[in-house]
């Protein structure tokens, strides 16, 4: 009887250990890749900057832009400036609020490069800048 009790206790310990390892692995892996919220913010930041540049060139007021739906289709790991990063691709919907109306566009393709900072707490949007002697990365905080 003591033998069976020890066998049951050992089985329970093994099951609990497997569950604990699974939870730890899931939490840490989830923290290493950009969340949908980070991707949405990066898309909004990139699109807002593009809209502001166009508005300045056309001498118009910048419209408000809202990213509504993001569907990530691929995340490829890479390194940017010796820090881990991801090339994230997919589709998104957005709404532009103009002075007299709103315009919604669906299923727009996107590609963003997100760089994880060394302390692991923040993400930066990385954009390649072309220069005379090649190219370099410029990054900015995704809030």
């Amino acid at each position: 009887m003591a033998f069976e009790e020890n066998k049951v206790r050992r089985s329970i310990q093994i099951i609990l250990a497997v569950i604990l390892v699974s939870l730890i692995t899931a939490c840490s892996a989830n923290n290493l890749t950009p969340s949908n919220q980070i991707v949405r913010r990066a898309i909004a930041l990139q699109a807002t900057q593009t809209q502001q540049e166009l508005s300045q060139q056309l001498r118009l007021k910048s419209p408000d832009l809202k990213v509504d739906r993001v569907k990530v289709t691929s995340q490829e790991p890479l390194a940017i400036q010796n820090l881990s990063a991801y090339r994230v691709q997919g589709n998104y919907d957005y709404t532009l609020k103009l002075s007299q109306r709103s315009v919604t566009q669906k299923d727009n393709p996107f590609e963003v490069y997100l760089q994880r900072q060394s302390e692991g707490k923040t993400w930066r949007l990385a954009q390649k800048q072309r220069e005379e002697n090649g190219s370099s990365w410029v990054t900015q905080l995704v809030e």
Side-chain angles (χ1 to χ4, degrees):
M1 186 134 171
F3 176 74
E4 285 186 30
E5 189 175 301
N6 283 342
K7 194 174 179 182
V8 169
R9 184 177 294 151
R10 184 70 179 150
S11 295
I12 291 172
Q13 288 173 338
I14 290 171
I15 291 170
L16 288 175
V18 168
I19 291 171
L20 183 61
V21 167
S22 298
L23 289 172
I24 290 171
T25 303
C27 290
S28 62
N30 197 18
N31 218 8
L32 296 176
T33 60
S35 67
N36 261 7
Q37 184 178 19
I38 294 295
V39 173
R40 180 187 309 255
R41 289 177 182 171
I43 294 167
L45 178 60
Q46 194 172 40
T48 298
Q49 289 174 343
T50 301
Q51 285 296 327
Q52 286 174 345
E53 289 173 15
L54 287 172
S55 295
Q56 285 176 353
Q57 289 176 0
L58 298 172
R59 293 189 176 109
L60 298 172
K61 182 182 177 223
S62 292
D64 291 329
L65 182 133
K66 180 183 175 201
V67 175
D68 297 315
R69 181 196 59 85
V70 174
K71 181 181 177 190
V72 174
T73 57
S74 74
Q75 286 189 15
E76 298 173 33
L78 64 134
I80 296 175
Q81 299 168 335
N82 298 322
L83 292 172
S84 75
Y86 286 88
R87 176 181 178 219
V88 183
Q89 293 178 298
N91 295 300
Y92 72 103
D93 298 344
Y94 73 89
T95 301
L96 281 178
K97 293 186 180 181
L98 306 166
S99 60
Q100 297 181 7
R101 63 184 174 127
S102 292
V103 176
T104 299
Q105 293 249 326
K106 296 185 180 284
D107 289 323
N108 294 284
F110 74 87
E111 175 181 75
V112 292
Y113 291 85
L114 292 166
Q115 180 190 55
R116 185 176 175 82
Q117 294 306 281
S118 58
E119 73 280 356
K121 295 179 183 176
T122 59
W123 289 90
R124 296 183 71 84
L125 173 64
Q127 295 174 303
K128 204 171 236 186
Q129 301 293 316
R130 299 190 191 274
E131 298 172 349
E132 287 181 18
N133 56 353
S135 60
S136 65
W137 290 95
V138 174
T139 66
Q140 61 189 114
L141 182 65
V142 176
E143 296 187 86

Coordinates of all heavy atoms in Angstrom, one line a residue, residues 79-136:
A79 N 18.4 40.4 -36.6 CA 19.1 41.3 -35.7 C 19.2 42.6 -36.4 O 19.5 42.7 -37.6 CB 20.5 40.7 -35.4
I80 N 19.0 43.7 -35.6 CA 19.2 45.1 -36.1 C 20.1 45.7 -35.0 O 19.7 45.8 -33.9 CB 17.8 45.8 -36.2 CG1 17.0 45.2 -37.3 CG2 18.1 47.3 -36.6 CD1 15.6 45.7 -37.4
Q81 N 21.2 46.2 -35.5 CA 22.2 46.9 -34.6 C 22.5 46.0 -33.4 O 22.5 46.4 -32.3 CB 21.6 48.3 -34.2 CG 21.4 49.2 -35.3 CD 20.6 50.4 -35.0 OE1 19.9 50.5 -34.0 NE2 20.8 51.5 -35.7
N82 N 22.7 44.7 -33.7 CA 23.1 43.7 -32.7 C 22.0 43.5 -31.6 O 22.4 43.0 -30.5 CB 24.4 44.1 -32.0 CG 25.6 44.1 -33.0 OD1 25.6 43.3 -33.9 ND2 26.5 45.1 -32.9
L83 N 20.8 43.8 -31.8 CA 19.7 43.5 -30.9 C 18.7 42.7 -31.7 O 18.5 42.8 -32.9 CB 19.0 44.8 -30.4 CG 19.9 45.7 -29.5 CD1 19.2 47.0 -29.2 CD2 20.2 45.0 -28.2
S84 N 18.0 41.8 -30.9 CA 17.0 41.0 -31.6 C 15.8 41.8 -32.1 O 15.4 42.8 -31.5 CB 16.5 39.9 -30.7 OG 15.6 40.4 -29.7
A85 N 15.3 41.4 -33.2 CA 14.2 42.2 -33.9 C 13.4 41.2 -34.7 O 13.7 40.0 -34.8 CB 14.8 43.2 -34.8
Y86 N 12.3 41.7 -35.2 CA 11.4 40.9 -36.0 C 10.9 41.7 -37.2 O 10.6 42.9 -37.1 CB 10.1 40.5 -35.2 CG 10.4 39.4 -34.2 CD1 10.8 39.7 -32.9 CD2 10.3 38.0 -34.6 CE1 11.1 38.7 -32.0 CE2 10.6 37.0 -33.7 CZ 11.0 37.4 -32.4 OH 11.3 36.4 -31.5
R87 N 10.8 41.0 -38.3 CA 10.2 41.6 -39.5 C 8.7 41.0 -39.4 O 8.6 39.8 -39.5 CB 10.9 41.1 -40.8 CG 10.2 41.5 -42.0 CD 10.9 41.0 -43.2 NE 10.3 41.4 -44.5 CZ 10.2 40.6 -45.5 NH1 10.7 39.3 -45.5 NH2 9.5 41.0 -46.6
V88 N 7.8 41.9 -39.3 CA 6.4 41.5 -39.1 C 5.6 41.9 -40.3 O 5.6 43.1 -40.7 CB 5.8 42.1 -37.8 CG1 4.3 41.5 -37.6 CG2 6.6 41.7 -36.6
Q89 N 4.8 41.0 -40.9 CA 4.0 41.3 -42.1 C 2.6 40.8 -41.8 O 2.3 39.9 -41.0 CB 4.6 40.6 -43.3 CG 5.9 41.1 -43.7 CD 6.4 40.3 -44.9 OE1 6.6 39.1 -44.8 NE2 6.6 41.0 -46.0
G90 N 1.7 41.4 -42.5 CA 0.3 41.1 -42.5 C -0.6 42.1 -43.1 O -0.2 42.8 -44.0
N91 N -1.8 42.2 -42.6 CA -2.8 43.1 -43.1 C -3.5 43.9 -42.0 O -3.6 43.3 -40.9 CB -3.9 42.4 -43.9 CG -3.4 41.7 -45.2 OD1 -2.8 42.4 -46.0 ND2 -3.5 40.4 -45.3
Y92 N -4.0 45.1 -42.3 CA -4.7 45.8 -41.3 C -5.8 46.7 -41.9 O -5.8 46.9 -43.1 CB -3.7 46.7 -40.5 CG -3.1 47.9 -41.2 CD1 -3.6 49.2 -41.0 CD2 -2.1 47.7 -42.2 CE1 -3.1 50.3 -41.7 CE2 -1.6 48.8 -42.9 CZ -2.1 50.1 -42.6 OH -1.6 51.1 -43.3
D93 N -6.7 47.1 -41.1 CA -7.7 48.1 -41.5 C -7.4 49.4 -40.8 O -6.9 49.4 -39.7 CB -9.1 47.6 -41.1 CG -9.6 46.3 -41.7 OD1 -8.9 45.9 -42.7 OD2 -10.5 45.7 -41.2
Y94 N -7.8 50.5 -41.5 CA -7.7 51.8 -40.8 C -8.8 52.7 -41.2 O -9.4 52.5 -42.3 CB -6.3 52.4 -41.1 CG -6.1 53.0 -42.5 CD1 -6.4 54.3 -42.8 CD2 -5.5 52.2 -43.5 CE1 -6.2 54.8 -44.1 CE2 -5.3 52.7 -44.8 CZ -5.7 54.0 -45.0 OH -5.5 54.4 -46.3
T95 N -9.0 53.7 -40.4 CA -10.0 54.8 -40.7 C -9.2 56.1 -40.6 O -8.6 56.4 -39.6 CB -11.1 54.7 -39.7 OG1 -11.7 53.5 -39.7 CG2 -12.1 55.8 -39.9
L96 N -9.4 56.9 -41.6 CA -8.9 58.3 -41.6 C -10.1 59.2 -41.3 O -11.1 59.2 -42.0 CB -8.3 58.7 -43.0 CG -6.9 58.2 -43.3 CD1 -6.6 58.7 -44.7 CD2 -5.9 58.7 -42.3
K97 N -10.0 60.1 -40.3 CA -11.0 61.0 -40.0 C -10.6 62.4 -40.6 O -9.7 63.0 -40.0 CB -11.2 61.1 -38.5 CG -11.8 59.8 -38.0 CD -12.2 59.9 -36.5 CE -12.8 58.6 -36.1 NZ -13.2 58.6 -34.7
L98 N -11.2 62.7 -41.6 CA -11.0 64.0 -42.3 C -11.9 65.1 -41.7 O -12.8 64.8 -40.9 CB -11.2 63.9 -43.8 CG -10.3 62.7 -44.4 CD1 -10.8 62.4 -45.8 CD2 -8.9 63.1 -44.5
S99 N -11.7 66.3 -42.2 CA -12.5 67.4 -41.6 C -14.0 67.2 -41.8 O -14.9 67.5 -40.9 CB -12.1 68.7 -42.1 OG -12.2 68.7 -43.5
Q100 N -14.4 66.7 -43.0 CA -15.9 66.5 -43.3 C -16.4 65.1 -43.4 O -17.5 64.9 -43.5 CB -16.2 67.3 -44.5 CG -15.9 68.8 -44.4 CD -16.3 69.6 -45.6 OE1 -16.8 69.0 -46.6 NE2 -16.0 70.9 -45.6
R101 N -15.4 64.1 -43.4 CA -15.9 62.7 -43.5 C -14.8 61.8 -43.0 O -13.7 62.2 -42.8 CB -16.2 62.4 -45.0 CG -15.0 62.5 -45.9 CD -15.4 62.3 -47.4 NE -14.3 62.6 -48.2 CZ -13.9 61.7 -49.1 NH1 -14.4 60.6 -49.3 NH2 -12.8 62.0 -49.9
S102 N -15.2 60.5 -43.0 CA -14.2 59.5 -42.6 C -14.1 58.5 -43.8 O -15.0 58.2 -44.5 CB -14.7 58.7 -41.4 OG -14.7 59.5 -40.2
V103 N -12.9 58.0 -43.9 CA -12.6 57.0 -45.0 C -12.0 55.8 -44.3 O -11.0 55.9 -43.5 CB -11.6 57.6 -46.0 CG1 -11.2 56.5 -47.0 CG2 -12.1 58.8 -46.6
T104 N -12.6 54.6 -44.6 CA -12.1 53.4 -44.1 C -11.5 52.5 -45.2 O -12.1 52.4 -46.2 CB -13.2 52.6 -43.3 OG1 -13.7 53.4 -42.3 CG2 -12.7 51.3 -42.8
Q105 N -10.3 52.0 -44.9 CA -9.7 51.1 -45.9 C -9.4 49.7 -45.2 O -9.0 49.7 -44.1 CB -8.3 51.6 -46.4 CG -8.5 52.9 -47.2 CD -8.1 52.7 -48.6 OE1 -7.2 51.9 -48.9 NE2 -8.8 53.3 -49.5
K106 N -9.7 48.6 -45.9 CA -9.6 47.3 -45.3 C -8.5 46.5 -46.0 O -8.2 46.7 -47.2 CB -10.9 46.5 -45.4 CG -12.0 47.2 -44.5 CD -13.3 46.3 -44.6 CE -14.3 47.0 -43.7 NZ -14.2 46.9 -42.3
D107 N -7.9 45.6 -45.3 CA -6.9 44.7 -45.8 C -5.7 45.3 -46.4 O -5.3 44.9 -47.5 CB -7.6 43.6 -46.7 CG -8.4 42.7 -46.0 OD1 -8.1 42.3 -44.8 OD2 -9.5 42.3 -46.5
N108 N -5.2 46.3 -45.8 CA -4.0 47.0 -46.3 C -2.8 46.1 -45.9 O -2.6 45.8 -44.7 CB -3.8 48.4 -45.8 CG -4.9 49.3 -46.3 OD1 -4.9 49.7 -47.4 ND2 -5.9 49.5 -45.4
P109 N -1.8 45.8 -46.8 CA -0.7 45.1 -46.4 C 0.3 46.0 -45.6 O 0.3 47.2 -45.8 CB 0.0 44.7 -47.7 CG -0.5 45.7 -48.7 CD -1.9 46.1 -48.2
F110 N 1.0 45.4 -44.6 CA 2.0 46.1 -43.9 C 3.2 45.2 -43.7 O 3.2 44.0 -43.8 CB 1.5 46.6 -42.5 CG 1.3 45.4 -41.5 CD1 2.4 45.1 -40.7 CD2 0.1 44.8 -41.3 CE1 2.3 44.1 -39.8 CE2 0.0 43.8 -40.4 CZ 1.1 43.4 -39.6
E111 N 4.3 46.0 -43.4 CA 5.6 45.3 -43.1 C 6.3 46.3 -42.1 O 6.5 47.5 -42.4 CB 6.5 45.1 -44.3 CG 7.8 44.6 -44.0 CD 8.7 44.4 -45.2 OE1 9.2 45.5 -45.8 OE2 8.9 43.3 -45.6
V112 N 6.5 45.8 -40.9 CA 7.2 46.7 -39.9 C 8.4 45.9 -39.3 O 8.3 44.6 -39.3 CB 6.3 47.2 -38.8 CG1 5.3 48.2 -39.3 CG2 5.6 46.0 -38.0
Y113 N 9.4 46.6 -38.9 CA 10.5 46.0 -38.3 C 10.5 46.5 -36.8 O 10.5 47.7 -36.6 CB 11.8 46.4 -39.0 CG 12.0 45.8 -40.3 CD1 11.4 46.4 -41.4 CD2 12.7 44.6 -40.5 CE1 11.6 45.8 -42.7 CE2 12.8 44.0 -41.8 CZ 12.3 44.7 -42.8 OH 12.4 44.1 -44.1
L114 N 10.4 45.5 -35.9 CA 10.4 45.8 -34.5 C 11.6 45.3 -33.8 O 11.9 44.1 -33.9 CB 9.1 45.3 -33.9 CG 7.8 45.9 -34.4 CD1 6.6 45.1 -34.0 CD2 7.7 47.3 -33.8
Q115 N 12.3 46.2 -33.1 CA 13.5 45.9 -32.4 C 13.3 45.8 -30.9 O 12.7 46.8 -30.3 CB 14.6 46.9 -32.7 CG 15.9 46.7 -32.1 CD 16.8 47.8 -32.2 OE1 16.4 49.0 -31.9 NE2 18.0 47.6 -32.8
R116 N 13.6 44.7 -30.3 CA 13.5 44.6 -28.8 C 14.7 45.2 -28.2 O 15.8 44.9 -28.5 CB 13.4 43.1 -28.5 CG 13.1 42.8 -27.0 CD 12.9 41.3 -26.9 NE 12.8 41.0 -25.5 CZ 11.6 41.1 -24.8 NH1 10.5 41.5 -25.4 NH2 11.6 40.7 -23.6
Q117 N 14.5 46.0 -27.2 CA 15.6 46.7 -26.5 C 16.3 45.7 -25.5 O 15.7 44.7 -25.1 CB 15.1 47.9 -25.8 CG 14.6 49.0 -26.7 CD 15.6 49.4 -27.7 OE1 16.5 50.1 -27.5 NE2 15.5 48.8 -29.0
S118 N 17.5 46.0 -25.2 CA 18.4 45.1 -24.5 C 17.8 44.7 -23.1 O 17.9 43.6 -22.7 CB 19.8 45.6 -24.4 OG 19.8 46.9 -23.7
E119 N 17.1 45.6 -22.5 CA 16.5 45.3 -21.2 C 15.2 44.5 -21.3 O 14.7 44.0 -20.3 CB 16.3 46.6 -20.4 CG 15.1 47.5 -20.8 CD 15.3 48.4 -22.0 OE1 16.5 48.4 -22.5 OE2 14.4 49.0 -22.5
G120 N 14.7 44.4 -22.5 CA 13.6 43.6 -22.8 C 12.2 44.2 -22.4 O 11.2 43.5 -22.4
K121 N 12.2 45.4 -22.0 CA 10.9 46.1 -21.6 C 10.2 46.8 -22.7 O 9.0 47.1 -22.6 CB 11.2 47.0 -20.4 CG 11.7 46.3 -19.2 CD 12.0 47.2 -18.0 CE 12.5 46.5 -16.8 NZ 12.9 47.4 -15.8
T122 N 10.9 47.3 -23.7 CA 10.3 48.1 -24.7 C 10.7 47.6 -26.1 O 11.6 46.9 -26.3 CB 10.8 49.6 -24.6 OG1 12.2 49.6 -24.7 CG2 10.4 50.2 -23.3
W123 N 9.8 48.1 -27.1 CA 10.1 47.8 -28.5 C 10.2 49.1 -29.2 O 9.7 50.1 -28.8 CB 8.8 47.0 -29.0 CG 8.7 45.6 -28.6 CD1 8.0 45.2 -27.5 CD2 9.3 44.5 -29.1 NE1 8.1 43.9 -27.3 CE2 8.9 43.4 -28.4 CE3 10.1 44.2 -30.3 CZ2 9.3 42.1 -28.6 CZ3 10.5 43.0 -30.6 CH2 10.1 41.9 -29.8
R124 N 11.0 49.0 -30.3 CA 11.3 50.2 -31.1 C 10.9 49.9 -32.6 O 11.2 48.8 -33.0 CB 12.7 50.7 -31.0 CG 13.0 51.2 -29.6 CD 14.4 51.7 -29.5 NE 14.6 53.0 -30.1 CZ 14.3 54.2 -29.6 NH1 13.8 54.3 -28.4 NH2 14.5 55.3 -30.3
L125 N 10.3 50.8 -33.2 CA 10.0 50.7 -34.7 C 11.3 51.0 -35.4 O 11.9 52.1 -35.1 CB 8.9 51.6 -35.1 CG 8.7 51.8 -36.6 CD1 8.1 50.4 -37.1 CD2 7.7 52.9 -36.9
A126 N 11.8 50.1 -36.2 CA 13.1 50.3 -36.9 C 12.7 50.6 -38.4 O 11.9 49.9 -39.0 CB 14.0 49.1 -36.8
Q127 N 13.3 51.6 -38.9 CA 13.1 52.0 -40.4 C 14.5 52.2 -41.0 O 15.3 52.9 -40.5 CB 12.2 53.2 -40.5 CG 10.8 53.0 -39.9 CD 10.0 54.3 -39.9 OE1 10.4 55.3 -39.3 NE2 8.9 54.2 -40.5
K128 N 14.6 51.6 -42.2 CA 15.9 51.7 -42.9 C 15.9 53.0 -43.6 O 15.0 53.4 -44.3 CB 16.0 50.5 -43.9 CG 17.4 50.2 -44.3 CD 17.4 48.9 -45.1 CE 18.3 47.9 -44.4 NZ 18.6 46.7 -45.1
Q129 N 17.0 53.7 -43.4 CA 17.3 55.0 -44.1 C 18.4 54.8 -45.1 O 19.4 54.3 -44.8 CB 17.7 56.0 -43.1 CG 16.7 56.3 -42.0 CD 15.4 56.9 -42.5 OE1 15.4 57.8 -43.3 NE2 14.3 56.4 -42.0
R130 N 18.1 55.2 -46.4 CA 19.1 55.1 -47.4 C 20.0 56.3 -47.3 O 19.6 57.4 -47.2 CB 18.5 55.0 -48.8 CG 17.6 53.8 -48.9 CD 17.1 53.6 -50.3 NE 16.1 52.5 -50.4 CZ 16.3 51.2 -50.4 NH1 17.5 50.8 -50.4 NH2 15.3 50.4 -50.5
E131 N 21.3 56.0 -47.5 CA 22.3 57.1 -47.4 C 23.2 56.9 -48.6 O 23.2 55.9 -49.3 CB 23.1 57.0 -46.1 CG 22.3 57.2 -44.9 CD 23.0 56.9 -43.6 OE1 24.2 56.3 -43.7 OE2 22.5 57.2 -42.5
E132 N 24.1 57.9 -48.9 CA 25.0 57.8 -50.0 C 25.9 56.6 -50.0 O 26.1 55.9 -51.0 CB 25.8 59.1 -50.1 CG 25.1 60.3 -50.6 CD 25.9 61.5 -50.6 OE1 27.2 61.4 -50.7 OE2 25.4 62.6 -50.7
N133 N 26.4 56.2 -48.8 CA 27.3 55.1 -48.7 C 26.6 53.8 -48.2 O 27.3 53.0 -47.5 CB 28.5 55.5 -47.8 CG 28.0 56.0 -46.4 OD1 26.8 56.1 -46.2 ND2 29.0 56.2 -45.6
G134 N 25.4 53.7 -48.4 CA 24.7 52.5 -48.0 C 23.4 52.8 -47.3 O 22.6 53.7 -47.7
S135 N 23.1 52.1 -46.2 CA 21.9 52.4 -45.5 C 22.1 52.1 -44.0 O 23.1 51.5 -43.6 CB 20.7 51.5 -46.0 OG 21.1 50.1 -45.8
S136 N 21.3 52.7 -43.2 CA 21.4 52.5 -41.7 C 19.9 52.4 -41.2 O 19.0 52.8 -41.8 CB 22.1 53.7 -41.1 OG 21.4 54.9 -41.2

